[in-house]
Every structure is written in C-alpha cells, then in structure tokens.
Amino acid sequence: MTQAKARAGAPLGVRERVEAVIALRREEGALARLSVSELCRLAAVNRASLYAHHRDLIRQVTASRGRGNGPQRAKTPQPEAKLRRELSAAQRQIHALLLTVAELQLEVAMLQRRLSGEQKAPRRTAKHRASSVR
C-alpha cells in the first residue's frame, strides 16, 4: 500500500494488518508466543484466507517459535488468566461506551437537522399567521 493511500484514510489490507500485529508482538518480545489463531483475531482477518493467500506470513510467525509449521499450545499461567478476565471486562465496558457514543452522535445529528431546518424557514408566530390569512 502506498503512503498516500494510507494517509487518505483507506482501510488497511490483510497483509498490512497482519504485518502490523507481527511487528507489534516482535517489539513486545512476545512474537514467539503468537499463535496463528491469535494473529488472525488481533488482525481481524479470516484464518482460511490467511492460509490460502499469505503463507509467507504464517511461516514468519511459526519460524519465530523455533518450530516448523506445527501448532504450539502454551500453558496459561494463573496471572495470565486473571489478566484475560480483566481484559474481557474492559472490552465489555468499551463496547458499552461505544454504544453510548453512537447514541449521542445520532442525537447530535438529529438536533443539527432540526436546527438547520429552523434556520432555513423561520417559524411564523401566531400574529404573522393571522395577518397573512386576511
């Protein structure tokens, strides 16, 4: 993807999203623990399309584990399980906040439409209506 296209607000493609997740995990030093399933979830891509079209990215992730293409299942320590629960609770809060923001945006849009309608055609008072009827 060209930089101009990225600056224009175009959505990232599958490759860019996956490479961003890989780079982020590499910086965190957690690339060795990244599974293909987690990669797909974090990058919001379909696992089947990743296997079908981007095998090189899968090899990059699996090679970082020091193994071939075999699956790896890491044991989840107790502190990590607690963090996952906290993350889940935070995600629910974020979802609720997003819904609230969406509702408020709709309300603002409705108020703007009402305001622009009032500015276009000023309301007539009862006195003006009575004089125009005569």
Side-chain angles (χ1 to χ4, degrees):
M1 174 182 286
T2 65
Q3 288 181 352
K5 193 174 182 184
R7 276 189 231 121
L12 294 176
V14 171
R15 178 169 290 281
E16 289 85 9
R17 291 192 314 248
V18 171
E19 287 175 344
V21 170
I22 290 172
L24 179 66
R25 294 305 287 264
R26 185 176 288 129
E27 287 177 13
E28 293 173 350
L31 185 60
R33 295 188 308 266
L34 182 65
S35 67
V36 176
S37 295
E38 186 176 10
L39 173 67
C40 293
R41 183 179 54 78
L42 292 172
V45 298
N46 186 308
R47 184 179 175 142
S49 66
L50 190 66
Y51 273 106
H53 304 290
H54 302 286
R55 289 289 230 169
D56 59 320
L57 295 172
I58 293 173
R59 280 192 293 276
Q60 186 177 351
V61 171
T62 56
S64 69
R65 294 190 293 219
R67 304 175 79 184
N69 290 331
Q72 176 185 357
R73 226 173 244 278
K75 294 181 181 177
T76 306
Q78 291 302 326
E80 188 175 330
K82 181 181 176 187
L83 288 174
R84 287 185 189 274
R85 287 191 301 273
E86 290 174 5
L87 176 63
S88 178
Q91 287 172 333
R92 285 192 301 273
Q93 288 176 338
I94 289 170
H95 182 70
L97 288 171
L98 287 173
L99 289 175
T100 303
V101 167
E103 289 174 355
L104 290 172
Q105 285 175 333
L106 288 173
E107 189 173 339
V108 166
M110 181 184 70
L111 290 171
Q112 286 174 335
R113 281 192 301 267
R114 283 180 51 197
L115 181 62
S116 67
E118 288 177 7
Q119 289 175 351
K120 289 179 185 174
R123 298 183 111 183
R124 292 185 165 188
T125 62
K127 183 178 178 182
H128 286 105
R129 277 188 231 128
S131 64
S132 64
V133 172
R134 292 182 199 181

